[in-house]
Amino acid sequence: MRILLAEDDETLGELTEHQLLRRYHVVDWLKDGMDARQAMGSGRYDVYVLDWMLPGMTGLDLVRDIREREDHTPILLLTARDAVQDRVEGLRAGADDYMIKPFAFEELEARLEALFRRQERGIQPDTLRFGALTAHLNRYEVTRDGEAISLTRREFQLLVCLMRHAGQVLSREQLLDQVWGLGADVTLNTVDSTVRLLRKKVDGPYPIKCIQSVYGAGYRLTTGGGSDV
């Protein structure tokens, strides 16, 4: 999942981001409501996790704004407010779920997965296949011709990104944005080095190469061979 996390509490935000990254998600953590609103306009997120009491623009105001713009991305509200009326207000404004602080991360993860399944039911499969490659999204496993391939978290995310856009040329900037996320302290060279490592594992032992460089443009996943263009 690609998650926008809007949380101004440094400790909670850092911990939540860390835990979500460990689960192979891509996370953009923002600390201001107006910054979150601007990021939401990109349309690239699978779910929004919003703290109620954000500076600049509250989480509740963000919910209302999102729904007024007919953005149907699932929303999970985080708040210390535990009154029934507060929960009702948040849900009626357009939030899909609600968690009261403090919360167990395992429950947050389960709720996010449920929201994602609900949103993508019938559209986004749990398994991606392209040629001889198969990626099991829930288990974070990849096989080629039935043989397991051990990948790091970033390599897995990069491969899934390429599989979801199979045949399409993705620039290094696009890959950096979609795999590492906003504000990531990495360079375009990191994209290239990660692609090289991924190629060694996915293509190295096989005569047919899947990950293709397109000179001056980026990378794409193909079944047509291994030469660069």
Side-chain angles (χ1 to χ4, degrees):
M1 276 184 286
R2 180 160 190 153
I3 300 167
L4 186 147
L5 170 65
E7 171 60 68
D8 65 324
D9 184 294
E10 291 279 350
T11 301
L12 180 59
E14 184 175 358
L15 176 61
T16 304
E17 179 189 42
H18 174 71
Q19 294 288 357
L20 289 171
L21 288 172
R22 287 185 61 194
R23 294 293 293 169
Y24 289 69
H25 301 302
V26 176
V27 183
D28 290 337
W29 172 30
L30 300 172
K31 305 168 190 178
D32 180 88
M34 294 302 296
D35 291 340
R37 185 183 187 276
Q38 183 175 359
M40 289 166 178
S42 66
R44 60 178 166 230
Y45 297 102
D46 297 309
V47 63
Y48 303 139
V49 180
L50 310 177
D51 179 39
W52 188 303
M53 298 301 294
L54 287 169
M57 190 174 187
T58 70
L60 187 63
D61 288 338
L62 280 172
V63 171
R64 293 182 176 129
D65 181 74
I66 291 163
R67 296 314 185 213
E68 285 175 2
R69 287 188 279 157
E70 297 188 359
D71 180 347
H72 302 294
T73 303
I75 302 171
L76 176 64
L77 268 178
L78 303 176
T79 181
R81 297 169 177 257
D82 59 359
V84 171
Q85 185 56 40
D86 289 328
R87 296 199 296 272
V88 170
E89 184 179 10
L91 293 169
R92 283 182 172 168
D96 297 278
D97 204 352
Y98 193 107
M99 288 193 71
I100 297 172
K101 303 176 182 179
F103 53 82
F105 176 77
E106 291 78 6
E107 182 180 359
L108 174 64
E109 172 73 9
R111 287 175 182 262
L112 290 175
E113 289 176 351
L115 287 175
F116 184 64
R117 287 196 303 269
R118 188 186 312 165
Q119 176 76 359
E120 299 295 323
R121 186 176 296 121
I123 302 175
Q124 181 68 50
D126 292 333
T127 301
L128 290 178
R129 291 186 175 87
F130 180 75
L133 283 170
T134 301
H136 301 279
L137 304 183
N138 291 335
R139 303 201 304 268
Y140 313 112
E141 295 175 355
V142 172
T143 61
R144 179 163 177 174
D145 291 328
E147 296 292 326
I149 300 173
S150 179
L151 301 179
T152 66
R153 174 168 60 87
R154 286 295 183 212
E155 291 164 357
F156 179 85
Q157 291 172 319
L158 179 58
L159 180 62
V160 167
C161 182
L162 290 169
M163 291 180 74
R164 283 179 168 158
H165 300 274
Q168 176 184 343
V169 178
L170 297 178
S171 69
R172 295 187 298 164
E173 290 83 1
Q174 287 175 308
L175 291 170
L176 182 63
D177 178 48
Q178 294 189 38
V179 176
W180 281 263
L182 288 174
D185 188 21
V186 297
T187 67
L188 294 178
N189 288 335
T190 302
V191 177
D192 295 331
S193 61
T194 307
V195 170
R196 285 196 297 269
L197 292 171
L198 180 62
R199 273 177 161 165
K200 289 181 181 179
K201 297 178 179 181
V202 171
D203 282 341
Y206 300 92
I208 297 177
K209 310 305 180 184
C210 295
I211 301 173
Q212 186 179 59
S213 298
V214 180
Y215 183 74
Y219 300 98
R220 68 181 169 197
L221 201 64
T222 178
T223 58
S227 62
D228 293 355
V229 177

